C-alpha cells in the first residue's frame, strides 16, 4: 500500500493532467455511489464511496469545519483522506491526502465542464468567493480557456478578496476586487462561484448573453448560490445526476417549488464527455452545477497512483 502525500499529489498533478483523468474516467461506466453526511453544530463529516467498473473503487472521508480558515493559525475547512482500492482484487493500493486531492478534482470537474460549455473566446472571469477553492478554480479555468485575461473577485469579506487579487497580480494575472456583485455578473463571460451561501447570490436578471455559470459551493440540501432565474435562463447541466438531484439545494429547492423538473437538466458529465451535449450558440447562457462525488476523487486518485507507480 502506498501513502500519497500532498507533496506527491502536487508534484504529479497539473490542470491538464487532472482534467484528462476526469475526461477518461467519464468514458467508463457510471459509478455506483453511496454518501453519508452527519452534522454537529454546523460542523460536518462526509463519507462518500464510489465503484467505477473497470477502473477502481474508493472511499473518501472528510470533515467540513467552516470556521477553520478564520482560526489562528488558519486551517483548511475540508480535511480528510481517500482510500483507493484495486478494482480487480479489492485490496487497498493507496491512501491519499484528501485536502489536496479535493482541490484538483473539484476545480478539474468545473474546468472540464467549461471546456464543453463556455465560449472559446471568454475574456473576463468573475470569482464569487475567495476561500480555499477560489485560486484552484481560477487556475483551472484559465488553463482550459487561455483567452481569460482578467479576473474579478467578489467576497463578503473584501479583505480576503483583496488578498486573492494580490496573489493573482503577483503572478502576472490582471485582477480586481469588485463590491457590486450584480454589476460584476453583468460584465463576466465566465462566472465561478464557491461559497458557503444558503441564499442565492447570483441573479439571472444580471447575466448577459453568452455567459457560462459554474456553480461549485452548494453541497447540502439547504445551500444555494444562484436564483431561479439563473437556472431557467440558460441550458442546465450537472456533473452527476446521482450527486445533485435529490441531494443539493441548488437543484432540489427549485425542483420542489416546481420551477424546474429533472427533464430541464440537459445532461451530466458522462453526456458531455461522450458527445451528448455542448454549447450550441455564442449567445446562449450555460449553467453547470458541480456537485462533486467520490467517483471524481477515485478518477484523480487512480491517475495519480498510476503515475507514481510509473504505469
Amino acid at each position: 500500500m502506498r501513502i500519497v502525500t500532498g507533496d506527491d499529489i502536487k508534484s504529479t498533478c497539473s490542470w491538464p493532467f487532472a482534467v484528462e483523468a476526469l475526461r477518461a474516467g467519464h468514458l467508463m461506466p457510471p459509478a455506483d455511489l453511496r454518501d453519508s453526511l452527519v452534522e454537529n453544530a454546523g460542523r460536518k463529516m462526509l463519507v462518500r464511496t464510489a465503484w467505477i467498473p473497470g477502473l477502481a473503487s474508493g472511499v473518501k472521508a472528510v470533515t467540513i469545519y467552516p470556521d477553520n480558515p478564520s482560526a489562528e493559525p488558519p486551517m483548511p475547512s475540508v480535511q480528510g483522506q481517500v482510500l483507493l482500492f484495486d478494482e480487480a482484487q479489492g485490496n487497498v493500493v493507496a491512501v491519499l491526502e484528501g485536502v489536496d486531492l479535493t482541490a484538483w478534482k473539484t476545480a478539474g470537474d468545473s474546468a472540464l465542464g467549461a471546456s464543453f460549455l463556455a465560449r472559446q473566446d471568454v475574456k473576463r472571469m468573475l470569482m464569487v468567493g475567495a476561500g480555499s477553492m477560489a485560486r484552484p478554480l481560477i487556475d483551472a479555468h484559465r488553463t482550459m480557456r487561455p483567452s481569460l485575461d482578467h479576473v474579478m473577485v467578489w467576497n463578503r469579506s473584501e479583505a480576503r478578496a483583496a488578498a486573492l487579487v494580490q496573489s493573482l497580480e503577483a503572478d502576472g494575472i490582471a485582477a480586481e476586487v469588485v463590491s457590486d456583485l450584480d454589476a460584476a455578473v453583468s460584465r463576466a463571460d465566465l462566472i465561478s462561484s464557491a461559497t458557503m451561501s444558503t441564499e442565492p447570490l447570483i441573479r439571472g436578471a444580471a447575466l448577459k448573453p453568452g455567459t457560462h455559470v459554474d456553480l461549485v459551493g452548494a453541497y447540502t440540501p439547504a445551500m444555494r448560490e444562484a436564483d431561479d432565474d439563473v437556472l431557467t435562463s440558460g441550458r442546465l447541466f450537472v456533473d452527476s445526476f446521482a450527486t445533485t438531484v435529490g441531494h443539493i439545494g441548488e437543484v432540489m429547492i427549485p425542483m420542489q417549488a416546481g420551477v424546474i423538473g429533472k427533464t430541464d437538466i440537459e445532461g451530466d458529465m458522462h453526456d458531455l464527455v461522450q458527445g451528448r451535449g455542448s454549447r450550441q450558440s455564442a449567445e446562449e447562457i450555460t449553467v453547470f452545477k458541480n456537485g462533486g462525488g467520490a467517483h471524481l476523487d477515485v478518477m484523480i486518485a487512480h491517475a495519480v497512483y498510476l503515475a507514481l507507480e510509473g504505469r
Side-chain angles (χ1 to χ4, degrees):
M1 181 182 71
R2 184 162 193 150
I3 304 299
V4 181
T5 67
D7 287 341
D8 292 329
I9 295 169
K10 184 177 179 180
S11 67
T12 304
C13 280
S14 65
W15 292 117
F17 176 95
V19 170
E20 174 55 26
L22 294 173
R23 187 200 67 81
H26 283 92
L27 294 173
M28 306 296 289
D32 187 359
L33 302 171
R34 297 289 187 276
D35 287 0
S36 175
L37 176 68
V38 293
E39 184 172 358
N40 183 2
R43 298 171 173 180
K44 302 177 180 68
M45 175 172 282
L46 178 63
V47 178
R48 287 178 159 176
T49 64
W51 191 322
I52 306 173
L55 186 73
S57 60
V59 176
K60 180 179 183 178
V62 300
T63 55
I64 305 163
Y65 280 45
D67 294 336
N68 273 7
S70 302
E72 290 295 339
M75 295 281 288
S77 59
V78 179
Q79 301 175 88
Q81 302 287 331
V82 174
L83 287 177
L84 182 68
F85 295 82
D86 180 81
E87 200 268 341
Q89 303 298 324
N91 57 300
V92 177
V93 295
V95 179
L96 301 94
E97 172 55 51
V99 173
D100 298 85
L101 203 69
T102 294
W104 290 103
K105 70 101 175 185
T106 301
D109 184 35
S110 286
L112 180 59
S115 73
F116 296 105
L117 299 174
R119 299 194 330 263
Q120 293 285 342
D121 62 347
V122 287
K123 297 288 186 183
R124 193 180 299 271
M125 177 178 178
L126 169 62
M127 185 69 235
V128 180
S132 60
M133 278 308 307
R135 184 61 192 262
L137 284 162
I138 292 168
D139 291 343
H141 279 303
R142 292 185 71 250
T143 297
M144 299 308 293
R145 283 291 185 268
S147 58
L148 286 168
D149 59 14
H150 188 89
V151 179
M152 300 177 288
V153 180
W154 180 92
N155 193 65
R156 292 189 191 278
S157 163
E158 283 203 9
R160 294 191 71 180
L164 176 57
V165 164
Q166 185 176 19
S167 74
L168 292 168
E169 291 178 333
D171 291 333
I173 301 168
E176 65 173 308
V177 176
V178 293
S179 57
D180 187 332
L181 184 54
D182 274 359
V185 166
S186 69
R187 296 166 59 201
D189 301 311
L190 187 153
I191 301 168
S192 187
S193 184
T195 72
M196 295 285 188
S197 182
T198 56
E199 297 293 333
L201 298 169
I202 303 167
R203 297 193 316 114
L207 292 171
K208 70 176 182 178
T211 304
H212 175 63
V213 182
D214 169 42
L215 301 171
V216 183
Y219 58 87
T220 74
M223 297 173 76
R224 290 193 73 177
E225 297 187 294
D227 70 5
D228 291 347
D229 287 344
V230 171
L231 303 188
T232 58
S233 64
R235 298 176 59 218
L236 177 59
F237 294 83
V238 298
D239 59 355
S240 168
F241 285 104
T243 62
T244 54
V245 176
H247 296 278
I248 288 175
E250 203 77 80
V251 292
M252 282 181 63
I253 295 170
M255 279 187 174
Q256 290 168 350
V259 174
I260 61 171
K262 187 175 179 180
T263 57
D264 291 309
I265 302 174
E266 295 193 26
D268 66 2
M269 191 70 87
H270 278 94
D271 295 311
L272 291 170
V273 168
Q274 297 180 30
R276 298 188 295 272
S278 64
R279 171 171 283 275
Q280 296 177 352
S281 74
E283 295 298 302
E284 69 187 3
I285 292 168
T286 52
V287 181
F288 179 78
K289 176 52 197 161
N290 179 331
H295 61 302
L296 306 175
D297 296 281
V298 168
M299 291 172 191
I300 300 288
H302 185 255
V304 168
Y305 169 71
L306 291 183
L308 290 172
E309 292 288 301
R311 290 193 259 162

